[in-house]
């Protein structure tokens, strides 16, 4: 999988994404992350990439030409017009199902905006998906692009050492993950729940399922409404979905 991030701050993106698990996956060649510097494509003799908004108003607007040429440099290289995500608070909210869906692509372009915005005409020309990482405003799209690249990358086969950890984690089946414990069995007077030391896999599985449901009920009741619970679980944990 190849990620191309169109940005005015390439080092911000490459430094962050070439560390830890994602960095290792890039080293192994499972994925690649390339920051494309929009400024390298400006035809302005002062290297300018923004200008005043028509109609007046505060701030500057990123111009269409450098962004379009940066995008074309990627499209020409890969021989197609790739799926292109514009990070904006106006987009649809990025979620785990969206991460899984994007992980099916082989090439993904991300456009990071700055200042007061981006000339609408270039967005119309290249953007296929408008995405937000939540209802708050960042100073630029870079952090949002990094969040999306990280979450999508770990859905790419081979990136996680233990594929099962992705199958059992939070949001799978709209439940949060159960609590985890490691050695020692007692720490600061706090004991690991007995069931986890019992060696009874069936009991452990039931306990974890229960913990997932109780946690989701407590911290994310909105999610629990969408979770797939058995009729018995709904009765035991007093969950009322739309069907009653
Ligand atoms: N750019 C600025 N704020 C953003 C947000 N919340 N999500 C995605 N891109 C953004």
């Amino acid at each position: 999988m190849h990620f191309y991030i169109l940005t005015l701050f390439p080092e911000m993106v490459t430094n962050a994404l070439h560390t830890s698990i994602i960095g290792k996956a890039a080293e192994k060649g499972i994925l690649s992350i390339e920051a494309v510097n929009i400024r390298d494509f400006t035809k302005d003799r002062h290297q300018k990439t923004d200008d005043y908004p028509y109609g007046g108003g505060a701030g500057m607007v990123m111009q269409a030409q450098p962004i379009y040429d940066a995008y074309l440099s990627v499209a020409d290289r890969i021989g197609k017009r790739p799926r292109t995500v514009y990070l904006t608070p106006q987009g649809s909210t990025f979620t785990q199902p969206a991460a899984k869906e994007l992980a099916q692509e082989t090439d993904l372009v991300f456009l990071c905006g700055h200042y007061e915005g981006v000339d609408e005409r270039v967005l119309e020309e290249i953007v296929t998906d408008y995405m937000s990482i939540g209802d708050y405003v960042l100073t630029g799209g870079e952090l949002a692009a990094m969040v999306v690249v990280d979450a999508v990358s770990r859905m790419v086969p081979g990136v996680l050492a233990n594929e099962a950890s992705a199958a059992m984690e939070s949001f799978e089946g709209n439940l949060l993950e159960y609590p985890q414990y490691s050695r020692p069995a007692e720490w600061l007077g706090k004991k690991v729940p007995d069931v986890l030391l019992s060696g009874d896999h069936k009991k452990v599985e039931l306990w974890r399922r229960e913990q997932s449901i109780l946690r989701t009920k407590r911290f994310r009741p909105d999610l629990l409404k969408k979770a797939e619970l058995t009729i018995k679980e709904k009765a035991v944990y007093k969950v009322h979905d739309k069907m009653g």
Side-chain angles (χ1 to χ4, degrees), residues 30-94:
I30 298 166
L31 51 84
S32 71
I33 300 158
E34 184 183 327
V36 179
N37 191 346
I38 294 168
R39 199 173 301 283
D40 290 345
F41 293 86
T42 178
K43 294 194 170 117
D44 180 87
R45 58 197 168 95
H46 303 294
Q47 301 282 98
K48 215 162 53 74
T49 56
D50 60 354
D51 209 332
Y52 295 100
Y54 276 120
M60 303 291 270
V61 175
M62 285 172 70
Q63 292 166 288
Q65 177 272 316
I67 293 172
Y68 190 53
D69 287 351
Y71 164 83
L72 286 182
S73 79
V74 175
D76 286 350
R77 246 191 297 155
I78 64 179
K80 65 169 184 199
R81 291 178 72 102
R83 195 158 168 191
T84 300
V85 178
Y86 176 49
L87 287 316
T88 165
Q90 299 180 13
S92 56
T93 310
F94 181 63

Side-chain angles (χ1 to χ4, degrees), residues 116-148:
E116 297 310 304
V118 172
D119 191 309
E120 191 67 21
R121 294 166 296 181
V122 71
L123 299 178
E124 287 168 9
E125 197 60 30
I126 70 172
V127 174
T128 56
D129 301 74
Y130 293 78
M131 268 181 207
S132 164
I133 62 161
D135 287 345
Y136 40 80
V137 182
L138 303 168
T139 55
E142 282 77 9
L143 280 169
M146 287 189 257
V147 166
V148 176

